[in-house]
Amino acid sequence: MAAVLLVRAAVCRSGGRLARTAVMSIAQRSMAHFTFVPDPEPNPAQYGPTQKMNLFQSITSGLDNVLEKDPTARKERVFNTPLCEQGIVGFGIGAAVTGATAIAEIQFADYIFPAFDQIVNEAAKYRYRSGNLFDCGSLTIRAPWGCVGHGSLYHSQSPEAFFSHIPGVKVVIPRSPIQAKGLLLSCIGDKNPCIFFEPKILYRAAVEQVPVEAYQIPLSQAEVLQEGNDVTLVAWGTQVHIMREVASMAQEKLGVSCEVIDLKTILPWDIETICKSVVKTGRLLISHEAPVTGGFAAEISSTVQEECFLNLEAPISRVCGYDTPFPHIFEPFYIPDKWKCFDAVRKMINY
C-alpha cells in the first residue's frame, strides 16, 4: 500500500478546541435545536467489537485504522502545515498523484474557498484531462461543516452546493459517528477525490457504539431511516435529526405518515431512492442549513419534478437557510428548525 499522508492546518486539532466550542454553544446559548438519536448498535458478528465514541472520536478511529494497515507507517506522515488552504489541498493533490493516500484537513469548511481553484481546476479534472493516464483519486479532503450554535459568518457555513457543480469529485456528509467512520473510510478507499464534510455540532453531541475495526458504508446510496406513506422528508448531516423529530410531530399532531431519508452523498446523489419514495408519498420536503437559492435542495427539487411530476400531490417544499450571511445572535431564527419544517408538512397536506 502506498504511504498515507494526513495534512492539516497548524492550529487544528481533531475534536479539540472546535469540539469544545460546540459543547459550549449548547450549554451557554441553548442552541441545541435537535435531539440526537443513536442508530442501533452494529451487529458484532458482522462488524466485530464496538466502543462508545462521539463523532470526532469515530473519525479519529477511522484514520487510525488507515494508518495501521499501511506497512510504511511512521509518525512523520501526520503533520501540521501553515494556514494556507490552497497549499494544503495542492500538496494533497501532488501526493495523491504520486500514489500516496492523501487526507487533507481544512480547519473549517468556511475556509475551504481559498482552495477552491485547486479542487475545481486540478483535483476534479486531473483524470479527465490526462485521458486517465494520471489521477489524484486517492485524495480525501476533510472539513468541519455546518451550524455550530455561535459560529456566525465564518464558522457556520454549509458550502456543499458549491462542490455539487463539479464533475470529478464526490461530496459526502454523515449524520452520526457510525456513519462518519464508515463513510470516511469509503471516501479514503474510493478511486475519486472526495470532499468529506463533518457536522461540527455533532462532534461531541452525537455518541454511539462504533465498531473498532475498519468498515465501509457505500457512497451514493441514500438510506430510508423511517418508512411512511404521506410525505417524503429528505436531509443530510445534522438536519436528518430534525427531520426525525418532524416525522414524530407530524404523526402525533396531524396523523401524517412521513418517510425520512438521509441522502448522505451529495454528489453523485441517489436519485432512484428519492424518486421511488416520492412516487409512493406524492409529497417532498427537503431541508438544509445552506441558503435556499442555489442550495442542493433546488437540484433535488428539479430532478424530482422532472421524474415524478404526475405523482406529485402538492408543490415540492424547501425549508432552508435564508439568503443572507449566517448571523450571530439571530442564529435561532436562521436555522431551519423542526417548527418551520412541520409547518411546511402541514401546508403540503392541506394543499
Side-chain angles (χ1 to χ4, degrees):
M1 178 185 291
V4 181
L5 298 173
L6 274 67
V7 187
R8 63 189 185 187
V11 298
C12 184
R13 295 293 184 270
S14 181
R17 178 170 60 86
L18 176 60
R20 287 196 295 273
T21 58
V23 174
M24 289 172 61
S25 69
I26 294 174
Q28 296 179 2
R29 295 180 58 82
S30 300
M31 283 295 298
H33 59 287
F34 65 93
T35 300
F36 176 80
V37 178
D39 287 344
E41 183 176 345
N43 184 358
Q46 181 180 1
Y47 292 97
T50 64
Q51 183 176 322
K52 190 175 182 180
M53 302 182 195
N54 57 32
L55 192 136
F56 87 78
Q57 289 170 331
S58 75
I59 291 170
T60 301
S61 175
L63 296 175
D64 288 342
N65 293 148
V66 174
L67 291 167
E68 288 169 1
K69 289 185 177 181
D70 191 330
T72 62
R74 63 185 186 277
K75 65 180 183 180
E76 289 82 5
R77 289 182 302 145
V78 183
F79 58 92
N80 295 327
T81 71
L83 284 176
C84 176
E85 288 77 16
Q86 59 267 52
I88 293 171
V89 173
F91 184 91
I93 292 170
V97 170
T98 64
T101 299
I103 306 167
E105 179 181 354
I106 305 299
Q107 189 184 15
F108 287 92
D110 310 62
Y111 301 146
I112 203 169
F113 300 115
F116 199 71
D117 177 64
Q118 289 290 328
I119 297 170
V120 173
N121 284 323
E122 302 301 333
K125 297 177 173 62
Y126 215 102
R127 187 195 308 274
Y128 185 85
R129 77 178 188 183
S130 70
N132 203 32
L133 290 176
F134 309 100
D135 70 82
C136 56
S138 56
L139 170 67
T140 300
I141 302 168
R142 296 177 45 226
W145 163 98
C147 169
V148 70
H150 64 286
S152 193
L153 284 76
Y154 299 125
H155 298 86
S156 285
Q157 295 178 75
S158 302
E160 66 271 16
F162 288 101
F163 299 98
S164 69
H165 195 64
I166 308 170
V169 298
K170 294 186 176 182
V171 183
V172 180
I173 305 174
R175 71 173 184 270
S176 68
I178 294 173
Q179 293 290 315
K181 180 174 178 177
L183 290 171
L184 176 60
L185 290 176
S186 292
C187 286
I188 294 171
D190 196 89
K191 297 306 179 184
N192 299 278
C194 295
I195 300 174
F196 188 77
F197 286 130
E198 304 160 7
K200 65 176 77 77
I201 199 171
L202 297 181
Y203 270 160
R204 290 188 185 272
V207 179
E208 292 178 323
Q209 289 293 132
V210 180
V212 176
E213 299 301 322
Y215 62 96
Q216 293 190 4
I217 296 175
L219 304 180
S220 297
Q221 292 185 17
E223 182 179 355
V224 178
L225 301 178
Q226 175 180 316
E227 295 189 354
N229 300 312
D230 301 321
V231 181
T232 298
L233 307 179
V234 175
W236 47 90
T238 311
Q239 210 65 19
V240 170
H241 306 293
I242 291 174
M243 289 302 205
R244 280 176 154 168
E245 294 187 10
V246 172
S248 297
M249 292 169 60
Q251 185 66 60
E252 177 185 349
K253 300 178 182 296
L254 303 175
V256 170
S257 172
C258 294
E259 185 148 295
V260 180
I261 300 178
D262 178 6
L263 190 62
K264 295 200 283 191
T265 302
I266 303 299
L267 188 72
W269 65 287
D270 187 351
I271 298 174
E272 181 179 357
T273 296
I274 305 301
C275 288
K276 181 180 178 181
S277 177
V278 174
V279 167
K280 177 175 65 172
T281 66
R283 300 173 181 87
L284 173 63
L285 167 63
I286 314 149
S287 182
H288 58 62
E289 296 176 4
V292 62
T293 299
F296 197 70
E299 176 62 29
I300 298 174
S301 178
S302 176
T303 301
V304 170
Q305 191 272 343
E306 292 173 355
E307 299 291 331
C308 310
F309 179 73
L310 296 178
N311 301 100
L312 291 173
E313 301 290 341
I316 298 170
S317 181
R318 293 177 292 160
V319 180
C320 309
Y322 298 114
D323 291 334
T324 69
F326 207 99
H328 190 192
I329 61 172
F330 295 121
E331 283 192 10
F333 303 100
Y334 184 96
I335 295 168
D337 60 21
K338 62 184 179 181
W339 299 107
K340 295 176 184 178
C341 294
F342 174 77
D343 189 53
V345 170
R346 181 181 57 78
K347 289 178 180 178
M348 281 193 289
I349 292 297
N350 294 328
Y351 179 78

